[in-house]
């Protein structure tokens, strides 16, 4: 009876936590000061900025400033107005959900002002919007499956080699899938993919070494949680989720970094993030005993002969 109650409560608690950390992110989405910019003559610019709301923040800037803000990813879209026309500018390296929202809002502004709207940025395909986060998730899953199998098959040595090989192979899979979907990567982007894959695989291998199959309790939940957060526009997230989850999840850094490199951008913070993760994985792999095989059931072989370890057998041998 007691076991039945404990297991039932444990299942309910896990369901609550997963719901809170995954579906809760999407259920609480609401815009809050989404940054946009408008380049327009003073009367129209004043009217647009006066219509701003807590959900959307629109500021009037010069043409040069607008393009700088867009290139620096400080705004999700720019509307350049030259009556009777308006040009919509978007940055494909920005979160695609954010650019879609910017397109909707700025299109509404242009239509409300009776302007003829034209697109000033190249169209982005569905594959290009999907690949950065998808590649991040696949790199995580590949390293995680490799670590699980290493534990289940009771691997004794070459754990780092297994992790590094998996990282290279899964990165190759990501490049191949992207090419199949019509997306090509630069050499720098491929190098970034490898760096992300290596950092994921090393960290996971280190956790599996010390926790065994129990590492899945951390890695599996993290996989379910992180992509749901990383794919969201930060200005749409509940402030709690934004601070507690979005601000640090490595899936965000990998997706944003790859998306930037796909469009000839650059990354800096991302290299430090994944370099730190790789270093943490190496430290975990070097720490502790290396000779003991992993056991899926958590039992460690201490090398004691079963017969010699029994009191009865010892007395018979003495006699």
């Amino acid at each position: 009876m007691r076991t039945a109650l404990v297991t039932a409560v444990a299942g309910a608690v896990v369901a609550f936590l997963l719901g809170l950390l995954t579906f809760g992110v999407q259920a609480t989405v609401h815009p809050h000061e989404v940054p946009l910019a408008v380049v327009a003559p003073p009367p129209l610019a004043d009217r647009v900025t006066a219509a701003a709301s807590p959900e959307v923040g629109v500021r009037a800037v010069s043409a040069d400033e607008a393009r700088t803000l867009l290139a620096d990813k400080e705004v999700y879209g720019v509307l350049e107005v030259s009556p009777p026309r308006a040009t919509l500018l978007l940055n494909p390296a920005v979160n695609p959900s954010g650019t879609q929202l910017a397109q909707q809002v700025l299109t509404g502004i242009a239509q409300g002002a009776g302007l003829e709207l034209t697109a000033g940025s190249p169209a982005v395909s569905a594959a290009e919007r999907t690949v950065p986060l998808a590649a991040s998730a696949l790199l995580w899953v590949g390293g995680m499956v490799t670590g699980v199998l290493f534990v289940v098959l009771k691997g004794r040595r070459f754990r780092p080699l297994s992790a590094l090989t998996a990282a290279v192979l899964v990165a190759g899979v990501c490049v191949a899938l992207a090419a199949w979907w019509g997306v090509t990567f630069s050499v720098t982007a491929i190098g970034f993919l490898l760096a992300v894959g290596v950092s994921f695989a090393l960290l996971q291998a280190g956790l599996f070494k010390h926790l065994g199959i129990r590492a899945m309790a951390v890695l599996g939940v993290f996989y379910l949680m992180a992509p749901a957060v990383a794919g969201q526009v930060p200005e749409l997230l509940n402030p709690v989720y934004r601070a507690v989850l979005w601000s640090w999840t490595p899936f965000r850094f990998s997706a944003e970094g790859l998306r930037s490199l796909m469009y000839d951008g650059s990354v800096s913070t991302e290299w430090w993030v994944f370099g730190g993760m790789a270093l943490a994985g190496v430290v975990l792999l070097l720490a502790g005993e290396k000779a003991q095989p992993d056991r899926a059931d958590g039992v460690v072989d201490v090398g004691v002969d079963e017969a010699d370890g029994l009191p009865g057998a010892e007395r018979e041998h003495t006699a």
Side-chain angles (χ1 to χ4, degrees):
M1 180 66 178
R2 182 176 181 181
T3 301
L5 290 175
V6 169
T7 54
V9 171
V13 170
V14 171
F16 172 77
L17 292 176
L18 286 179
L20 186 66
L21 297 176
T22 55
F23 297 109
V25 176
Q26 301 172 0
T28 58
V29 164
H30 183 73
H32 180 68
E33 294 185 356
V34 178
L36 304 172
V38 172
V39 180
L44 180 58
D46 295 339
R47 188 170 60 188
V48 170
T49 54
S53 65
E55 289 77 19
V56 179
V58 182
R59 47 179 161 168
V61 296
S62 65
D64 292 339
E65 185 180 359
R67 293 176 183 270
T68 299
L69 291 172
L70 192 62
D72 293 341
K73 305 177 185 178
E74 294 187 23
V75 295
Y76 287 106
V78 173
L79 186 68
E80 290 188 340
V81 179
S82 181
R85 295 179 179 83
T87 302
L88 177 63
L89 300 177
L90 303 172
N91 185 351
V94 176
N95 186 303
S97 298
T99 57
Q100 289 178 342
L101 177 61
Q103 185 174 12
Q104 293 174 1
V105 174
L106 294 176
T107 298
I109 292 175
Q111 291 176 346
L115 301 170
E116 179 184 346
L117 185 64
T118 59
S121 303
V124 178
S125 67
E128 290 174 308
R129 292 193 296 267
T130 304
V131 161
L133 185 57
S136 304
L138 292 176
L139 289 169
W140 184 267
V141 170
M144 185 168 61
V145 171
T146 300
V148 169
L149 291 178
F150 200 89
V151 172
V152 172
L153 298 177
K154 303 176 183 179
R156 292 176 178 269
R157 297 183 297 170
F158 307 115
R159 187 193 298 272
L161 177 62
S162 173
L164 293 174
T165 303
V168 173
L169 293 178
V170 178
V173 167
C174 293
V175 173
L177 285 173
W180 187 18
W181 298 333
V183 179
T184 57
F185 293 135
S186 65
V187 174
T188 305
I190 294 175
F192 181 77
L193 270 179
L194 283 172
V196 174
V198 167
S199 67
F200 282 176
L202 289 177
L203 180 62
Q204 291 167 334
L207 291 174
F208 277 117
K209 174 183 177 180
H210 291 278
L211 299 178
I213 202 70
R214 291 170 294 181
M216 281 299 298
V218 177
L219 301 176
V221 171
F222 190 76
Y223 169 72
L224 293 173
M225 173 189 69
V229 178
Q232 294 289 343
V233 181
E235 286 81 9
L236 300 185
L237 291 173
N238 181 286
V240 175
Y241 284 117
R242 182 174 178 176
V244 176
L245 300 181
W246 181 88
S247 63
W248 61 269
T249 174
F251 287 84
R252 171 176 75 90
F253 293 102
S254 58
E256 289 181 355
L258 182 58
R259 187 177 294 114
S260 179
L261 293 173
M262 286 171 58
Y263 301 102
D264 298 324
S266 60
V267 295
S268 56
T269 304
E270 289 82 356
W271 291 115
W272 290 102
V273 169
F274 295 110
M277 290 182 64
L279 179 61
V282 170
V283 170
L284 288 173
L285 287 170
L286 294 178
E289 296 293 332
K290 296 187 290 184
Q292 292 293 337
D294 292 303
R295 298 288 298 271
D297 56 6
V299 178
V300 178
D301 184 2
V302 296
V304 178
D305 185 84
E306 184 176 359
D308 291 341
L310 293 176
E314 183 178 355
R315 286 196 298 270
E316 291 175 4
H317 179 71
T318 304

